[in-house]
């Protein structure tokens, strides 16, 4: 009798398992069938770019300290000015490729498209007829594929690296000469003759350095770097630094002249603001030197070269400048240009932003 009961229980168990597996296997098919049964409608989107953000400009001067090498102290100012900052080679307003995802009221993907040859400022695609849905647009960043849910989309990261399929060169310029862009629309009712204007936002930050070497300072600039650049962009704008991201450097070989300009495009890096009393807090402008504790992986500009002062040659002198709005602000936000106007006039050995290899004295 017990053996018979055992077989009955085992049989019921196998029945329930088989039924569960059957139903589970049908979920995707049922969902695909429901999606397939939704009516396709032709829709049209017109693109516009958000207004230009007022650039954040800093003027920085490095000079020799009177007590050390004889000159004046350094000075930094920060202000917002309206200037033209577009690079001649980068079209910051163009849409060359576009990924589009349509999600239902529950946040599940209905359909996605990737257009790899967008011309002009308008596209026509087919979406699913839906009374309440959300739309996500990512341009100039490649094919994101099928992102199953809005939650997953919000955490999706796009690689911003060099090499095959990468979005940037080692010098920090977009490989397709256009900026990664993003837009979203929620609570949309998609039906026949649906047409909408999309306002796109640039997902990258622009850094521009304008430097001048004063005639009375013998300095040979050998290399320009943008350091601590994130290797990924998060589609949905983060509130701080994106977790799990590694960092890279962009390199520019400067001209041999006494002045020049360098431009970089990079993912946003909201490294944070250092509060009073925290490690790295700056009480004066020259103390903006970062902190691996308070603002880890904050992006900065580094200039390296050889300098001669009073007959002494200093090799690989390094000047570091942190962009940002204010002396304790290390945030670099998307769709925001940061301009640094730099004047090099000497070396202050006590300046925490300057690194010098002291030569052997004979």
């Amino acid at each position: 009798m017990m053996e018979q009961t055992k077989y009955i229980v085992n049989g019921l168990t196998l029945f329930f398992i088989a039924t569960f597996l059957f139903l589970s296997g049908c979920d995707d098919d049922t969902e695909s069938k429901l999606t397939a049964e939704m009516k396709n409608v032709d829709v049209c989107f017109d693109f516009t770019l958000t207004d230009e953000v007022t650039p954040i400009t800093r003027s920085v001067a490095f000079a020799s300290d009177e007590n050390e090498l004889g000159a004046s102290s350094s000075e930094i100012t920060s202000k917002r000015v309206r200037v033209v900052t577009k690079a001649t080679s980068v079209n910051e307003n163009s849409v060359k490729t576009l990924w589009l995802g349509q999600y239902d009221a529950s946040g599940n993907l209905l359909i996605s498209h990737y257009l790899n040859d967008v011309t002009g400022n308008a596209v026509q695609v087919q979406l699913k007829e839906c009374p309440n849905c959300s739309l996500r647009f990512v341009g100039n960043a490649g094919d994101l594929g099928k992102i199953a849910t809005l939650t997953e989309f919000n955490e999706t990261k796009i690689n911003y690296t060099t090499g095959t399929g990468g979005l940037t060169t080692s010098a920090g310029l977009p490989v397709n000469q256009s900026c990664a862009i993003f837009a979203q629309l929620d609570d949309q009712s998609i039906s026949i003759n649906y047409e909408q204007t999309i306002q796109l936002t640039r997902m990258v930050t622009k850094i521009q350095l304008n430097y001048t070497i004063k005639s009375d300072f013998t300095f040979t600039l050998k290399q320009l770097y943008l350091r601590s650049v994130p290797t990924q962009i998060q589609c949905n704008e983060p509130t701080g630094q994106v977790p799990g991201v590694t960092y890279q450097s962009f390199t520019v070989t400067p001209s041999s002249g006494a002045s020049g300009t360098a431009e970089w495009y990079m993912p946003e890096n909201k490294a944070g603001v250092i509060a009073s009393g925290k490690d790295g807090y700056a009480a004066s402008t020259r103390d903006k030197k970062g902190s691996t504790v308070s603002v880890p992986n904050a992006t900065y500009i580094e200039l390296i070269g050889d300098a001669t002062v009073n007959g002494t040659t200093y090799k690989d002198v390094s000047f570091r400048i942190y962009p940002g709005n204010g002396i304790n602000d290390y945030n670099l936000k998307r769709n925001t240009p940061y301009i640094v106007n730099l004047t090099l006039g000497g070396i202050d050995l006590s300046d925490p932003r300057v690194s010098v290899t002291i030569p052997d004295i004979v």
Side-chain angles (χ1 to χ4, degrees), residues 40-103:
N40 290 325
V41 292
D42 294 325
V43 301
C44 180
F45 295 104
D46 295 309
F47 301 116
T48 63
L49 266 290
T50 55
D51 292 338
E52 285 213 5
V53 176
T54 302
I56 297 175
T57 301
R58 298 178 63 81
S59 297
V60 183
F62 285 90
S64 302
D65 182 75
E66 286 184 334
N67 297 326
E68 292 284 353
L69 301 173
S72 59
S73 60
S74 63
E75 177 185 358
I76 302 180
T77 60
S78 178
K79 59 183 178 179
R80 291 177 178 266
V81 295
R82 175 70 67 175
V83 296
V84 177
T85 62
K86 291 183 179 178
T88 55
S89 60
V90 178
N91 186 344
E92 299 177 2
N93 299 326
S94 68
V95 182
K96 295 183 177 180
T97 67
L98 183 70
W99 179 91
L100 163 62
Q102 180 188 13
Y103 295 87

Side-chain angles (χ1 to χ4, degrees), residues 187-206:
D187 303 321
Q188 298 297 297
S189 180
I190 307 299
S191 60
I192 191 170
N193 297 326
Y194 175 86
E195 187 172 346
Q196 188 63 269
T197 298
I198 310 300
Q199 191 170 55
L200 299 165
T201 300
R202 301 168 193 88
M203 299 169 67
V204 294
T205 293
K206 180 181 178 181

Side-chain angles (χ1 to χ4, degrees), residues 108-125:
N108 297 310
L109 181 68
L110 294 177
I111 193 171
S112 63
H113 294 286
Y114 178 62
L115 310 177
N116 60 6
D117 188 19
V118 178
T119 57
N121 295 319
V123 296
Q124 287 187 328
V125 296

Side-chain angles (χ1 to χ4, degrees), residues 178-252:
S178 56
C179 298
I181 51 180
F182 170 76
Q184 67 180 52
L185 288 174
D186 294 313
D187 303 321
Q188 298 297 297
S189 180
I190 307 299
S191 60
I192 191 170
N193 297 326
Y194 175 86
E195 187 172 346
Q196 188 63 269
T197 298
I198 310 300
Q199 191 170 55
L200 299 165
T201 300
R202 301 168 193 88
M203 299 169 67
V204 294
T205 293
K206 180 181 178 181
I207 308 293
Q208 178 178 306
L209 171 68
N210 305 310
Y211 65 88
T212 299
I213 303 171
K214 296 182 69 173
S215 59
D216 56 353
F217 179 37
T218 305
F219 180 72
T220 303
L221 180 59
K222 297 190 299 184
Q223 208 64 263
L224 282 171
Y225 295 98
L226 188 67
R227 304 283 200 187
S228 294
V229 177
T231 58
Q232 291 180 308
I233 306 174
Q234 183 170 292
C235 291
N236 198 46
E237 185 174 359
T239 56
Q241 287 179 310
V242 180
V245 170
T246 58
Y247 295 84
Q248 62 190 325
S249 293
F250 291 150
T251 308
V252 174

Side-chain angles (χ1 to χ4, degrees), residues 313-362:
T313 298
Y314 299 85
K315 294 288 187 180
D316 297 327
V317 180
S318 169
F319 298 93
R320 291 187 177 189
I321 306 106
Y322 287 87
N325 185 27
I327 61 175
N328 285 295
D329 187 343
Y330 293 84
N331 288 319
L332 298 180
K333 302 176 181 179
R334 66 173 56 183
N335 195 38
T336 304
Y338 293 84
I339 302 172
V340 175
N341 296 317
L342 172 66
T343 301
L344 296 177
I347 305 172
D348 182 353
L349 298 182
S350 65
D351 193 323
R353 302 162 299 168
V354 179
S355 299
V356 180
T357 300
I358 304 298
D360 295 333
I361 299 176
V362 179

